[in-house]
Amino acid sequence: MTTILHLPSPPPRLCVAAPRRVCDGAGGDVGTRCFLLLVGIGFFVAQTFRNIMHNRLKKEIVLVEGSRVFESWKNPPPPVYMEYFFFNITNVDEVLLGAKPKVQQVGPYTYREYRYKDNVSMVENGTMVSAYNTKSFVFLREKSVGDPAVDIITTVNIPGWAVMNKVKGNFFKSLMVNAMGVEVFTNRTVQGLLWGYEDALLTKVSASQPDVETTFGLMYKKNGSNDGEFVYHTGVNDYMDYGRVETWKGESQLTFWKSDHSNSINGSDGSAFHPLLDKKERIYIFTPDLCRTIYMDFEKDVKVKGIPAYRFTPPRSVLASKVENPDNAGFCVTPQECLGTGLLKVSPCRKGAPVVASFPHFYLGEDKFAEAIDGMSPQREHHQTFLDLNPTTGIIVRANKRAQINILLQRITGFPKTKNLKETIFPVMFLNESVEIDDNSAARVQKLLLISNLVSNFPLFIVGLGVIMLLILIVLLVKARRQKTSAEDDTSYSPVSNKDKDDPQNGAYIGLTSKSEQQA
């Protein structure tokens, strides 16, 4: 039996659907706001923690007694190796007649380099520290191609060329030197070329000029010696000054070159770099061997023994001609000193000797220099200089310093043996000074970086946990609401017909059927 009730006509669907949409909208809005608030707080706190950690690093990485880096700065633990490669000329007679030189690379002759800071003392109320960089070398036969005391190299007679250049233009002195006997090329052992040999011409010259050294060697007096006193900034006042050279041999400017820019002493000595490095910054290094400051730019990200590092390397502009890089005009003491891109004539700081510096095999230089010598093959992999620095600590994790020593060969008036020579930059030797962080030091750096990363990113872990908990809460709320809605919709009813039947009083008829009738 069906009972017909007359009810007013408010739409029943609005009573159920409208509140549900309002609740869902309110819940989503609250969830979004909570999420954004958590993320914002997390990033703010993370940045705060990161700043705290960075400030701690700035205070720890300073050159003062008791700091984290002071002892390793004075006595670097990683082993340093120095490799020497010589260019043996194979067609001396032809070259003297004007032919293109042919050379053969011989090496490496490898030495373990021991370096430490000597006579270390704090100055300027602890804001600076003075020290001498002492180096010594021990030959490693197992890492070398031969015995330096036995192997003979045919190369340019550097003392002879130095004397000829010194007296050129002076007729009587040139006659005297010719009478003493001067040769364009010489045969010497590797050991003699490196650490010194008694030169007959220099011995004769010293008889009238006692200040002339009778012994010559590319590394003469550099085993167990130093380059003079350095004064460094400790980084106490400004972390960016950590390891920066203030003076060398008591001077803050060089006097070898023509401009203040060329004579400037900037950056570190290559043994220490400030923490928190940026890829956009330029690294400056003062090197006494070149008598100048060079610079390096970021090249790429690398990893060394699991430690992230930025690779910095000198660009072509460092040794570019004054046409390519006007800043280098000051290195041209005379117009003849400007030899072209890829070369630096260091005669002003080498007692006038015609010594020319370059990268090995004239890498990054003008093609004509490598093409003028048969046997040159510049390759980035073998001849590039680079520094791999951990950006957080500034620690050197790997480095290769590569440089080549050349002699300018040309006709010199008054010396008949040079009359057929073509002007050539002749390569004598190149060196590769390399270092890679040792395992113990690498483990300490990795531990420090782990602590730094955990402290810096700890708030982000908290935010991540908060987001997960917020998502769980939202899921539970949605699930509970759906269960509540299902319970409210469980009332059983059936309409009398598919269409509403209106009475004159705007009512609606709903037929309620008893449960027993539904089942029937």
Side-chain angles (χ1 to χ4, degrees):
M1 176 180 179
T2 303
T3 304
I4 305 301
L5 298 178
H6 176 250
L7 299 173
S9 59
R13 283 173 293 186
L14 291 178
C15 294
V16 177
R20 187 182 306 169
R21 282 196 299 270
V22 171
C23 291
D24 289 349
D29 186 54
V30 170
T32 302
R33 290 178 180 178
C34 289
F35 175 75
L36 293 176
L37 180 62
L38 276 172
V39 171
I41 292 174
F43 278 110
F44 174 76
V45 177
Q47 187 61 45
T48 302
F49 272 58
R50 192 172 290 111
N51 289 338
I52 292 172
M53 192 65 198
H54 286 177
N55 288 334
R56 180 69 183 274
L57 280 173
K58 293 173 186 177
K59 292 179 180 179
E60 285 284 340
I61 301 180
V62 289
L63 296 178
V64 297
E65 290 285 355
S67 72
R68 185 183 293 272
V69 297
F70 194 59
E71 286 304 318
S72 60
W73 175 76
K74 291 194 296 183
N75 296 286
V80 180
Y81 297 99
M82 183 71 88
E83 296 177 318
Y84 297 100
F85 298 83
F86 288 86
F87 295 102
N88 185 63
I89 184 168
T90 60
N91 62 335
V92 169
D93 294 336
E94 291 85 350
V95 170
L96 290 174
L97 295 175
K100 179 180 179 179
K102 295 181 180 180
V103 299
Q104 197 173 46
Q105 180 176 298
V106 181
Y109 294 90
T110 307
Y111 293 76
R112 170 73 188 271
E113 180 181 333
Y114 295 88
R115 51 169 66 189
Y116 61 93
K117 300 289 193 299
D118 200 10
N119 293 332
V120 178
S121 58
M122 307 305 297
V123 295
E124 299 294 329
N125 296 320
T127 61
M128 296 186 191
V129 57
S130 67
Y132 292 81
N133 298 324
T134 302
K135 299 178 182 179
S136 59
F137 301 87
V138 176
F139 178 65
L140 300 178
R141 182 64 182 86
E142 67 278 9
K143 290 181 176 290
S144 303
V145 297
D147 186 345
V150 175
D151 295 352
I152 301 293
I153 301 294
T154 302
T155 187
V156 175
N157 181 15
I158 298 177
W161 279 95
V163 172
M164 287 189 288
N165 274 271
K166 190 76 172 177
V167 302
K168 68 180 178 180
N170 189 311
F171 177 74
F172 293 105
K173 288 185 178 180
S174 296
L175 280 177
M176 290 176 61
V177 171
N178 273 305
M180 292 177 186
V182 59
E183 297 294 333
V184 175
F185 295 98
T186 186
N187 299 314
R188 298 289 173 182
T189 64
V190 169
Q191 184 166 307
L193 287 172
L194 282 176
W195 309 111
Y197 61 89
E198 193 82 11
D199 184 77
L201 178 61
L202 293 178
T203 301
K204 293 174 183 177
V205 171
S206 68
S208 58
Q209 299 183 43
D211 60 325
V212 173
E213 188 76 56
T214 61
T215 301
F216 169 80
L218 296 168
M219 295 291 291
Y220 180 55
K221 290 186 176 180
K222 290 189 176 182
N223 197 350
S225 62
N226 60 74
D227 294 319
E229 183 191 37
F230 282 83
V231 174
Y232 307 89
H233 287 263
T234 61
V236 170
N237 291 337
D238 185 349
Y239 81 98
M240 293 291 288
D241 284 337
Y242 168 76
R244 183 169 67 83
V245 177
E246 175 65 15
T247 62
W248 176 56
K249 293 184 176 180
E251 302 292 336
S252 58
Q253 283 275 108
L254 302 173
T255 57
F256 304 122
W257 314 109
K258 284 181 62 177
S259 69
D260 290 340
H261 176 79
S262 300
N263 281 318
S264 62
I265 297 176
N266 292 329
S268 78
D269 66 346
S271 65
F273 298 89
H274 69 79
L276 308 178
L277 290 163
D278 192 285
K279 292 180 179 180
K280 296 179 181 178
E281 70 178 290
R282 176 166 275 180
I283 300 295
Y284 289 89
I285 301 171
F286 171 66
T287 168
D289 293 332
L290 292 178
C291 312
R292 62 163 290 184
T293 297
I294 66 168
Y295 52 84
M296 298 188 182
D297 294 332
F298 172 80
E299 182 185 66
K300 61 182 179 180
D301 289 284
V302 296
K303 270 197 171 184
V304 181
K305 296 186 177 181
I307 301 172
Y310 293 167
R311 172 162 292 183
F312 289 87
T313 185
R316 177 182 168 95
S317 59
V318 170
L319 294 181
S321 68
K322 64 179 181 180
V323 177
E324 285 189 34
N325 183 5
D327 288 339
N328 287 343
F331 294 113
C332 301
V333 178
T334 65
Q336 291 75 28
E337 310 294 321
C338 292
L339 301 174
T341 293
L343 304 178
L344 175 67
K345 193 172 182 182
V346 294
S347 301
C349 64
R350 289 292 179 265
K351 298 180 180 180
V355 178
V356 179
S358 71
F359 292 116
H361 287 245
F362 303 107
Y363 173 71
L364 294 183
E366 295 177 42
D367 293 339
K368 65 180 182 180
F369 300 125
E371 292 170 355
I373 306 291
D374 192 348
M376 294 290 98
S377 178
Q379 298 175 29
R380 180 192 189 116
E381 179 185 357
H382 300 296
H383 305 138
Q384 182 190 50
T385 290
F386 65 84
L387 273 173
D388 293 341
L389 305 175
N390 175 251
T392 303
T393 62
I395 291 173
I396 300 171
V397 293
R398 181 170 53 197
N400 280 81
K401 183 179 83 173
R402 292 158 170 157
Q404 182 168 296
I405 297 173
N406 313 277
I407 295 295
L408 174 60
L409 299 187
Q410 59 186 348
R411 263 186 223 105
I412 299 180
T413 304
F415 294 94
K417 292 181 180 180
T418 69
K419 66 179 182 179
N420 294 320
L421 290 178
K422 292 181 179 179
E423 184 169 310
T424 309
I425 308 299
F426 187 87
V428 177
M429 174 197 79
F430 84 81
L431 59 86
N432 177 26
E433 188 177 29
S434 62
V435 63
E436 184 173 309
I437 191 168
D438 60 287
D439 292 339
N440 290 335
S441 298
R444 287 195 294 270
V445 172
Q446 287 172 340
K447 183 178 179 181
L448 176 62
L449 294 177
L450 178 61
I451 294 172
S452 176
N453 290 333
L454 286 176
V455 171
S456 299
N457 297 315
F458 179 73
L460 297 180
F461 293 131
I462 300 300
V463 169
L465 185 59
V467 169
I468 293 172
M469 294 179 68
L470 179 62
L471 291 174
I472 293 173
L473 178 62
I474 291 173
V475 169
L476 292 175
L477 288 173
V478 170
K479 185 176 181 181
R481 180 161 294 281
R482 285 179 178 174
Q483 288 176 346
K484 183 178 180 182
T485 302
S486 298
E488 290 177 351
D489 291 346
D490 202 29
T491 304
S492 179
Y493 71 91
S494 61
V496 174
S497 66
N498 293 332
K499 297 183 178 180
D500 295 337
K501 296 181 179 180
D502 298 333
D503 68 355
Q505 298 178 352
N506 295 323
Y509 290 91
I510 296 178
L512 298 181
T513 305
S514 67
K515 196 171 185 179
S516 59
E517 290 177 344
Q518 273 187 318
Q519 293 174 348

